[in-house]
Amino acid sequence: MSGYDAIVIGAGHNGLVHAAYLARAGKKVLVLERRPVVGGATITEEIFPGFKFLTGSYLISLLRPEVIRELSLAKHGLELMPLESTLVPLQSGDYFADWPDHDMTREEIARHNRRDADIYPEYAATMKRIALWVKPLLDIAPPNPASNDPRDKMAMAMIAERLRAMSKSDFDLLCRLLTTSAADFLDEWFEGEALKGTKCTSGIIGTFLGPRSAGTGYVLLHHYLGEIDGVFRAWAFPRGGTGAFAQAVYSAARSFGVEVRTNAAVKQVIIKDGVAKGVALENGDEFYARRIISNADAKVTFLNLVDKKELSPDFVNDIRRFRTTSAACKVNLALDGLPTFTSIPKGKEALYRGSIEIAPSIDYVEKAYDDAKYGGWSTRPFMDALIPSLLDPGMAPPGKHVMSLFVQYASSELEGGWNAEKRATFLDIVIDTLSQYSPDIKSKILFKHINTPDELERQFALSSGNIFQGELALHQLFFLKPVPTFAHYKSPIKHLWMCGASTHPGGCITGAPGRNAAMSLLRDFQEESA
Amino acid sequence: MRDGMGMLSLKVTPFHPRTSELMQGNAWRRWAGFTVASCYEMAPDREYLAIRNACALIDVSPLFKYRVSGKDSLAFLNRLVTRDLSKLSVGQVAYGPWCDSRGKVVDDGTVMRLDDHEFRLTSAESSWRWLGDNAHGFDVFIADESDETAALSLQGPTSRALLEKLTGVRLSDVKYHWMRSIEIAQRPVLLTRTGYTGDLGYELWIRAEHALDVWDAVVSEGASFGLMPCGIWAMDVARIEAGLVMLDVDYTPSPKAFTANQASSPFELGLGWAVHLHKGDMVGKKALMQDRLKTDGLKLTGLEIDHAAFMSAHEELGLLTPLPFIPWRVVTPLFLDREQVGYATSGTWSPTLKKYIALAQVAARVARAGNKLTIDLMVDRERRPFAAVTTTLPFFNPERKRA
C-alpha cells in the first residue's frame, strides 16, 4: 500500500491539525490512531452512564486564532464558552474571587488588600503587553541561533527586532520573568496571599515545579499568551468538552480529505538506509508515505517507535534526558446535584460557573509540591475545579452535575510505583481536601474517577503521563525543544518529522506544533519538487 | 442556589435612597465602581439649564478622598503634585495634576489645606497605592476616607443664595477655591468653593451617615432657588464648556496607558499653568523640565465646529439637525488638508453659547487659536467633513465663577 504523501502517527489534536493543514495544501494524508477514538488527551468520555468526563484536557485558551480561522473550526462545530470567574475558597472560610468585570474585581481585591487593587490593572496590562510581544514566537518554527543559514539568521533578526521594539522597562521585566520564579515575581507586585495564591497557579499548572522554582515565571507568561476572541488570558470551555473540540478538528481534517484509521497502533517506523519510508502496525499491516510525522511525544517516538540502531547514541541520550516527570492528575466526579461551597455568599452564586481553585496561598501550593518532590504526593493538593454541566447542560443528566478537577501533585515516580490501591488512596485525599471547602460533596458523589500519571501514560501514551509531552522548563523550550539539535520539527531520520507538544511551543490545546510543523513540512515538499 | 445566579452588583453612594427615587428613565451609569445617574428626568435638558440659570445638585460621592496628615504632610504633597503648595494657606484649595517619574499625568484633583499639617486630596482614580508608594521616607499618615465621606456638588448662579439661606452664614467672603466649615441640618459640612462646571458653585463634604439629612435639607430649601438634582450628562456639557479635561475621556492616566505614547504630559493637557518647576524636587520634575520645551507634542485646544454648515447639510437632505445635547466621547480624527493633525475627545452642543464645541488634542503647530481644521461627522448615513476652528479655553467663563 502506498501513495500517501504523509502518515501522521497519533490522532491527538496536534496530529489532526497537522494532517488538516497538509491535506488543505493538497497532500494525501493518513492518520493512524492507536485508540478507538480520535483526540488523544483531548477527549470527552462517558465513563459513567449519562455523565461526560473530561479525562484529559479540560479547557482551551492557547488555541491559535489562526488555526480556528484557517481550518474553519467554527463551521465544524467548535463552540467556546469563556469562563467568567475564578473562586478561591480560603482556609479561613472567606473567599477570593476574580470577576469578569473590572469594578467587581477591583472591589474584591480591595476587600483583601487595597494596594493590590490599585496595582492589579497595571500588572494585568503589563503581562498582556509582554505576551503581545512574545506571542509571534509561538507561531514560528524556532530558528537555530548558532546557524549561518540565511533563513535562521532572518528569523533571529526578526526576534531581535521584536525585542528592540519593546520598551526598556518591559524588556527588563521579560528578562526577570524568564529567570525568576512565579512566587518571586508575584511578590514584587502584590501583598495579598489569596491573590498571589491564585495567580501563582498559572506558573505551575502542568509542571512538576513549585511556585518558588526558577523557571515558573516563564510558565506564568505562557498562560498569558492565551486568548479567546482577542481577549487575552481568557479560558474557555468547549461545548461538549475538549473531545468536541477534537471532533471539530477531525471534521475539518476529513473535509480536506484526510483519512483517519482508529484501532491502528503503530509498532515501528519503517526505516530503510536511514530514511523513513512507512510504518508497521501492531497487527502487521504496513503503510508507506513520502513523510512520516509523529504526534507522539519525543520519548515515545524515538525510544519506542524507532529502532535505536538508527539513531546516534548522543541523540538517544538527549531524548532520554528530555524531562517528562509529571505530577498532574485528572479527577472527574458524577454528582447527584450541585455541591455547596460554604465560602460562596448568597448573591455570588455565579462563582459556581467559573474555575474553583484550591490554592489559598503560595505557601499552600509550594507545600503541595514539597510533599510530592521525592516520589510522593500532596497531602493537601492544589486543584483547579470546574463544573462543566453548569456551562453545558449536555454534560450530565438533568439536575445532575459533573465536576472536573485538575490535581497536582502526585509524582509519576511514585515510591514503589502506582497501583489501583494507591490511586484510590490519592483520590480519597483529593475528595477529603475538597470536602474541607464543600462539606456536602461526599454525599453527592455517584461515581468518581482518577487518572494518575501512570494512567495518563497508559491511556494516552504520554511519557510519565506528562500532559505537555515534556516539561515546560526553560532548558527545553523554543530552540532547545525537545532537543537542541532537532528543534525544528525534523529528526535525525530523514523524512521522519515531529508535530506534537514535545515540539515548540509545547503543551496545552494550541494546535501550534501541528500547524508550525505543517508549514515547515510543506516547504520541505516544495523544495523537494523544485 | 440558583437564586440570584449571575447577579453582580455595583456599589451605591450614600445618596442612593434619594437619587433612586428621583430616577425616571432608568438612566444609570457607572462611575468608579458606583451606580450614579446620567440624568434623572427623561432628558437632561432641564438639569443642564439648572447649572447655568439656577442651581444643580450633583452626587459626586464616587470621587476618591484621602486625608494626609503628619509632620511631613506638606513636604510629601508638594513633592507629589505639580503645583507649588508651599503658598497654599489653611482654608485654601488647589487644583492640579500629579505625574509619574516620566512626567506623565497619573491623575488630577484637588488638594485642600485643612490645617498646617492636615490636607485632603481628591482624585478620580483610587490613589491608595500611589500615595503609599510616594510616602516612603516621609512622616505622614494617609487615611482613605472615600467610603465614609459623601460629596455633593451644588453648582449654579443661585447656589450661594441657597446655601446662605440654609446656613444663615454670609458666604460671599468664601473666595474661589477657598473653604469654610458650616452646618446644614445641624450636621457638620465642609464647604469648598469648587466644582466641575465653570460656574459659581460649591462642593459639600459630608460624613456618610449625615448624607441624607443634608440632601433633604438642601432639596427642601432649594425648591425656592430653582434647584434641580442633576446627573452626569448635564455636568458633562458644563465641564466641556468650562474646558475641564476628564480622566479616561480626554486623557489616559499613565498607569492605564498600555503603551508609553498613550500617556500625556500636563503640558499636553493644558495644565502647564499648574506645573511649578521652580519649586524643589517633585515626582517627574526632570522629565517635565524637558517636556515644557517640547514643540512636537500635542496640545489641548477647544474646537468650534461649523454648526451652520452642519445644519444646512441636514436641511438639504430634508432632515432636522440632531445636535448633541448629550456629549459624545468618541475619539474623532482632525485633519489639516488631508493630514491628521490630532483628535477630538469629547464634544457637545452648548445651549448657553449656541455653539457646537469640542475638546481636542492637536499638534502644537496647529494649536494656536484660529486654525481651521476639519472634522468628519455623520450626516444621516454619510460621513462629511466640517470646519472646526481651534479656540482658546475655556469656552465659557462667567464672572460669577470667581465673584
Side-chain angles (χ1 to χ4, degrees):
Chain A
M1 282 193 264
S2 77
Y4 292 111
D5 291 308
I7 290 172
V8 180
I9 305 171
H13 92 273
N14 275 309
L16 292 172
V17 165
H18 184 75
Y21 273 99
L22 296 182
R24 182 171 164 264
K27 304 296 170 206
K28 192 159 186 271
V29 189
L30 172 68
V31 181
L32 298 169
E33 170 56 44
R34 187 176 58 100
R35 303 188 76 198
V37 285
V38 299
T42 309
I43 192 165
T44 309
E45 289 181 288
E46 196 172 317
I47 288 185
F48 186 64
F51 294 81
K52 292 184 180 157
F53 282 4
L54 305 165
T55 49
S57 59
Y58 61 109
L59 285 175
I60 288 183
S61 173
L62 286 126
L63 176 59
R64 309 316 302 144
E66 295 87 337
V67 173
I68 298 178
R69 193 173 62 233
E70 291 161 354
L71 300 185
S72 308
L73 293 186
K75 193 181 89 184
H76 289 283
L78 175 68
E79 282 180 69
L80 295 177
M81 292 180 276
L83 294 192
E84 293 168 6
S85 61
T86 303
L87 165 76
V88 186
L90 302 178
Q91 282 155 318
S92 63
D94 194 2
Y95 70 100
F96 174 80
D98 197 348
W99 291 96
D101 176 81
H102 171 79
D103 284 327
M104 296 286 293
T105 299
R106 221 206 105 66
E107 202 52 30
E108 173 64 6
I109 298 176
R111 197 169 68 82
H112 294 270
N113 185 299
R114 276 190 296 180
R115 186 182 189 279
D116 288 353
D118 279 8
I119 204 164
Y120 183 71
E122 240 178 284
Y123 167 82
T126 304
M127 292 297 285
K128 287 171 189 172
R129 206 167 49 236
I130 293 177
L132 201 57
W133 292 114
V134 176
K135 189 176 77 150
L137 301 187
L138 293 182
D139 301 320
I140 59 165
N144 175 358
S147 143
N148 262 325
D149 185 308
R151 207 178 276 154
D152 286 317
K153 282 164 115 177
M154 249 167 64
M156 288 305 290
M158 183 280 276
I159 294 167
E161 199 51 51
R162 285 206 74 75
L163 293 177
R164 261 195 299 277
M166 292 178 85
S167 74
K168 175 80 167 75
S169 58
D170 283 350
F171 178 74
D172 294 346
L173 213 62
L174 173 62
C175 293
R176 292 159 70 86
L177 199 51
L178 292 180
T179 49
T180 192
S181 73
D184 282 338
F185 187 73
L186 291 165
D187 278 340
E188 290 179 9
W189 287 87
F190 301 120
E191 295 170 347
E193 285 306 319
L195 177 63
K196 285 191 282 187
T198 170
K199 290 295 158 197
C200 87
T201 63
S202 293
I204 52 102
I205 202 153
T207 74
F208 200 167
L209 298 166
R212 298 198 192 283
S213 309
T216 50
Y218 168 75
V219 185
L220 191 70
L221 176 64
H222 186 87
H223 287 105
Y224 265 88
L225 295 170
E227 59 185 301
I228 302 290
D229 299 337
V231 179
F232 271 54
R233 192 66 189 94
W235 289 86
F237 176 75
R239 193 164 87 86
T242 50
F245 159 72
Q247 289 300 320
V249 185
Y250 178 51
S251 165
R254 276 185 312 173
S255 77
F256 294 121
V258 172
E259 181 185 341
V260 181
R261 296 196 185 195
T262 50
N263 294 309
V266 172
K267 186 169 184 237
Q268 200 163 45
V269 177
I270 299 166
I271 298 165
K272 282 190 184 128
D273 303 324
V275 181
K277 297 282 188 188
V279 294
L281 303 193
E282 299 277 6
N283 68 6
D285 287 352
E286 292 187 358
F287 296 93
Y288 292 86
R290 291 161 69 198
R291 298 291 184 276
I292 311 301
I293 307 98
S294 174
N295 184 35
D297 73 37
K299 279 184 173 167
V300 169
T301 303
F302 296 108
L303 304 181
N304 298 355
L305 299 181
V306 171
D307 182 350
K308 284 196 216 53
K309 289 195 294 292
E310 301 286 346
L311 300 166
S312 78
D314 290 353
F315 181 76
V316 172
N317 277 336
D318 277 350
I319 294 292
R320 280 211 176 100
R321 283 195 295 254
F322 184 56
R323 187 165 145 180
T324 53
T325 50
S326 181
C329 302
K330 198 67 219 310
V331 170
N332 281 275
L333 305 176
L335 299 170
D336 188 20
L338 202 59
T340 313
F341 278 81
T342 45
S343 62
I344 297 183
K346 208 170 154 39
K348 310 270 190 209
E349 290 83 358
L351 290 170
Y352 281 97
R353 287 198 304 253
S355 284
I356 300 173
E357 281 189 345
I358 309 301
S361 68
I362 288 177
D363 281 353
Y364 176 96
V365 181
E366 184 73 17
K367 274 180 198 149
Y369 168 60
D370 287 345
D371 288 348
K373 216 167 167 182
Y374 306 104
W377 61 43
S378 311
T379 49
R380 283 290 170 258
F382 151 67
M383 303 181 215
D384 184 26
L386 177 71
I387 308 174
S389 44
L390 281 178
L391 299 167
D392 173 3
M395 297 297 286
K400 317 280 184 203
H401 287 283
V402 282
M403 185 182 249
S404 145
L405 295 130
F406 176 88
V407 182
Q408 261 176 220
Y409 303 75
S411 178
S412 55
E413 316 304 303
L414 195 69
E415 215 180 323
W418 282 97
N419 58 38
E421 197 185 327
K422 287 180 184 173
R423 283 194 288 272
T425 309
F426 188 64
L427 181 53
D428 285 343
I429 289 174
V430 168
I431 289 162
D432 282 342
T433 305
L434 199 59
S435 64
Q436 290 190 319
Y437 306 94
S438 176
D440 64 358
I441 195 146
K442 284 187 187 173
S443 69
K444 310 230 169 188
I445 296 175
L446 300 170
F447 184 78
K448 52 191 180 185
H449 178 263
I450 186 166
N451 269 344
T452 44
D454 61 310
E455 274 299 310
L456 292 169
E457 175 161 37
R458 190 184 63 79
Q459 290 174 36
F460 303 124
L462 294 168
S463 298
S464 319
N466 192 300
I467 62 164
F468 291 155
Q469 286 201 348
E471 187 72 280
L472 270 185
L474 278 185
H475 70 278
Q476 46 192 43
L477 285 182
F478 204 42
F479 47 68
L480 305 174
K481 191 170 193 71
V483 295
T485 41
F486 290 92
H488 39 18
Y489 309 103
K490 291 186 196 172
S491 83
I493 310 287
K494 195 174 183 192
H495 295 173
L496 175 62
W497 289 62
M498 295 176 267
C499 73
S502 280
T503 57
H504 174 74
C508 292
I509 295 176
T510 68
R515 179 179 181 271
N516 293 352
M519 297 303 154
S520 296
L521 181 53
L522 287 171
R523 206 166 51 207
D524 184 56
F525 272 125
Q526 227 169 28
E527 284 166 2
E528 187 184 52
S529 56
Chain B
M1 87 121 249
R2 293 242 165 199
D3 294 348
M5 204 140 177
M7 286 293 288
L8 307 180
S9 53
L10 292 168
K11 292 189 286 186
V12 294
T13 78
F15 301 108
H16 194 72
R18 297 294 181 270
T19 55
S20 56
E21 279 175 7
L22 293 167
M23 179 56 73
Q24 296 179 13
N26 200 25
W28 295 107
R29 68 193 289 130
R30 289 189 194 199
W31 176 8
F34 286 87
T35 303
V36 296
S38 289
C39 75
Y40 296 100
E41 296 197 327
M42 301 304 279
D45 310 20
R46 279 179 7 107
E47 296 175 15
Y48 166 78
L49 292 173
I51 296 176
R52 294 294 182 225
N53 300 298
C55 74
L57 186 64
I58 310 161
D59 178 4
V60 294
S61 302
L63 286 170
F64 291 87
K65 310 125 198 148
Y66 302 91
R67 185 173 291 259
V68 179
S69 51
K71 189 164 67 67
D72 293 339
S73 48
L74 174 64
F76 160 67
L77 284 170
N78 213 19
R79 182 170 172 276
L80 185 85
V81 305
T82 60
R83 282 192 66 167
D84 185 1
L85 301 179
S86 62
K87 292 184 185 70
L88 191 74
S89 308
V90 173
Q92 209 177 355
V93 185
Y95 163 80
W98 48 96
C99 296
D100 63 17
S101 56
R102 293 167 307 167
K104 302 299 180 191
V105 178
V106 171
D107 204 336
D108 63 303
T110 56
V111 178
M112 309 169 190
R113 187 159 198 180
L114 306 173
D115 209 334
D116 282 342
H117 299 299
E118 189 150 20
F119 296 82
R120 170 174 280 159
L121 178 124
T122 64
S123 59
E125 290 272 358
S126 172
S127 307
W128 180 253
R129 171 230 164 191
W130 189 249
L131 292 173
D133 284 5
N134 280 283
H136 293 306
F138 288 98
D139 183 0
V140 286
F141 178 72
I142 300 162
D144 184 346
E145 299 185 335
S146 302
D147 286 342
E148 58 254 44
T149 313
L152 280 177
S153 187
L154 191 64
Q155 302 285 309
T158 64
S159 55
R160 181 185 297 158
L162 164 58
L163 285 168
E164 286 181 341
K165 179 83 193 305
L166 207 52
T167 59
V169 179
R170 262 180 64 82
L171 293 174
S172 53
D173 54 339
V174 179
K175 298 293 178 203
Y176 184 64
H177 281 190
W178 284 77
M179 70 179 87
R180 167 82 56 92
S181 288
I182 57 167
E183 268 190 13
I184 295 176
Q186 285 100 53
R187 302 301 193 187
V189 170
L190 178 68
L191 169 135
T192 56
R193 190 166 163 191
T194 50
Y196 199 46
T197 61
D199 215 301
L200 172 66
Y202 302 86
E203 284 170 320
L204 310 175
W205 309 90
I206 309 151
R207 289 170 60 98
E209 64 266 32
H210 301 151
L212 297 180
D213 295 340
V214 174
W215 173 280
D216 291 340
V218 172
V219 167
S220 139
E221 196 64 58
S224 40
F225 295 86
L227 179 120
M228 292 263 315
C230 165
I232 303 303
W233 280 337
M235 184 170 74
D236 210 16
V237 176
R239 69 98 194 166
I240 294 171
E241 290 174 336
L244 300 170
V245 290
M246 180 179 267
L247 179 142
D248 280 346
V249 175
D250 302 303
Y251 77 94
T252 305
S254 75
K256 275 196 197 169
F258 202 77
T259 56
N261 65 1
Q262 283 185 335
S264 299
S265 92
F267 302 105
E268 292 177 311
L269 299 178
L271 296 173
W273 62 270
V275 181
H276 295 150
L277 291 167
H278 61 267
K279 71 172 176 176
D281 185 33
M282 69 166 125
V283 183
K285 184 171 182 178
K286 224 184 202 171
L288 288 166
M289 300 276 267
Q290 288 169 359
D291 276 2
R292 188 174 55 106
L293 306 169
K294 261 175 76 172
T295 50
D296 57 345
L298 296 167
K299 283 264 180 278
L300 182 83
T301 179
L303 286 180
E304 286 185 17
I305 297 167
D306 185 350
H307 68 272
F310 188 60
M311 291 175 102
S312 17
H314 282 86
E315 283 162 17
E316 278 163 24
L317 295 175
L319 294 168
L320 298 171
T321 309
L323 291 169
F325 290 95
I326 295 169
W328 48 258
R329 294 174 165 192
V330 184
V331 172
T332 308
L334 297 169
F335 300 92
L336 180 64
D337 301 324
R338 297 251 164 140
E339 183 201 357
Q340 188 179 343
V341 291
Y343 49 89
T345 48
S346 42
T348 187
W349 175 252
S350 166
T352 299
L353 300 168
K354 303 298 174 215
K355 283 177 181 168
Y356 188 171
I357 58 174
L359 295 178
Q361 300 214 33
V362 299
R365 68 193 154 83
V366 297
R368 205 164 29 84
N371 275 302
K372 196 169 153 185
L373 311 179
T374 51
I375 186 168
D376 286 351
L377 297 174
M378 293 303 290
V379 176
D380 197 23
R381 293 163 193 188
E382 290 170 20
R383 213 205 302 240
R384 301 259 191 98
F386 292 95
V389 177
T390 54
T391 56
T392 51
L393 292 171
F395 296 103
F396 180 67
N397 194 17
E399 255 175 37
R400 59 180 182 257
K401 180 176 93 177
R402 286 169 174 273

